[in-house]
Amino acid sequence: LSAVLENKPSLSINGTIMQCVEGYLQNKSNPPPPSTYKGYTSLKKAIDPDFGKMKMSDLTLPILQKEVNRFAEEHSPKYTLNYSSFLASVARFVGLTIESPKAPQQVPYEPYIPTKKDIKRIADSFAGTEYEVAFLLTMRGLRRSELVALTVDDVIKTDSGYILRINKALVEGIN
């Protein structure tokens, strides 16, 4: 019984940090989209066990900053910012007035733009394989969710050739 009570979600500042996280996830007034909820549960799993056992009422900015710094050692600045914001939101949700900890600076994203030669080399690697059609469809703008939802009934023969009907998407966690 004590193990059950120990892990019971809490909306009280007197609960452990992990209990407050559980309470936050279960009691949001507007349930988040599945991908956001998946992100929240991923962040929850990243909480250090000792930090999670601490009483929320004992949380201070230096303690929270130390946890965010621990997390930042192994994660990207963007993911660390999400983690920091998530923990601060949980604290505020249960009534703890605390500043948000400082997250590391984000490195500006510099996308790699493949050359025509790169694209040809990639396309050639798919030629004649079971992935060739999927590759060609994605190169023409089909999203992954639309591609995996295609069925034989979506290929329509016409007098001038074939038409591919794109009218659905399959999203992991929803379908």
Side-chain angles (χ1 to χ4, degrees):
L1 179 63
S2 65
V4 171
L5 291 175
E6 214 172 271
N7 295 322
K8 185 178 178 206
S10 175
L11 295 178
S12 165
I13 199 168
N14 296 318
T16 66
I17 290 173
M18 193 56 80
Q19 287 172 330
C20 292
V21 166
E22 287 290 338
Y24 175 79
L25 293 176
Q26 291 179 12
N27 291 287
K28 293 214 26 109
S29 57
N30 293 323
S35 62
T36 303
Y37 188 80
K38 186 177 179 183
Y40 285 166
T41 56
S42 173
L43 292 171
K44 182 183 98 172
K45 289 177 186 173
I47 294 174
D48 179 74
D50 291 332
F51 180 76
K53 291 176 188 170
M54 191 176 118
K55 291 272 187 207
M56 181 61 84
S57 58
D58 294 337
L59 185 62
T60 62
L61 183 56
I63 293 169
L64 183 55
Q65 186 66 61
K66 184 178 176 183
E67 171 62 10
V68 169
N69 293 347
R70 178 203 62 82
F71 184 86
E73 289 175 4
E74 297 178 13
H75 298 89
S76 72
K78 182 179 185 327
Y79 196 44
T80 301
L81 179 61
N82 290 348
Y83 185 70
S84 169
S85 299
F86 174 69
L87 291 176
S89 294
V90 170
R92 284 189 292 273
F93 188 77
V94 297
L96 182 65
T97 305
I98 193 166
E99 290 181 48
S100 294
K102 303 279 187 254
Q105 291 293 325
Q106 291 190 22
V107 179
Y109 176 66
E110 293 280 335
Y112 170 73
I113 301 171
T115 64
K116 287 182 180 181
K117 184 179 177 182
D118 292 337
I119 293 169
K120 177 155 179 29
R121 191 174 70 240
I122 293 167
D124 288 347
S125 73
F126 286 106
T129 70
E130 61 188 291
Y131 303 107
E132 182 175 16
V133 173
F135 173 76
L136 292 173
L137 290 172
T138 57
M139 291 302 294
R140 283 163 179 77
L142 212 65
R143 295 179 179 100
R144 180 181 179 273
S145 60
E146 294 167 335
L147 180 66
V148 298
L150 288 175
T151 65
V152 174
D153 296 334
D154 295 322
V155 180
I156 303 163
K157 184 169 175 58
T158 67
D159 292 337
S160 59
Y162 291 91
I163 295 175
L164 187 59
R165 179 179 44 208
I166 313 296
N167 61 356
K168 59 191 165 291
L170 182 66
V171 180
E172 183 180 348
I174 295 176
N175 301 99

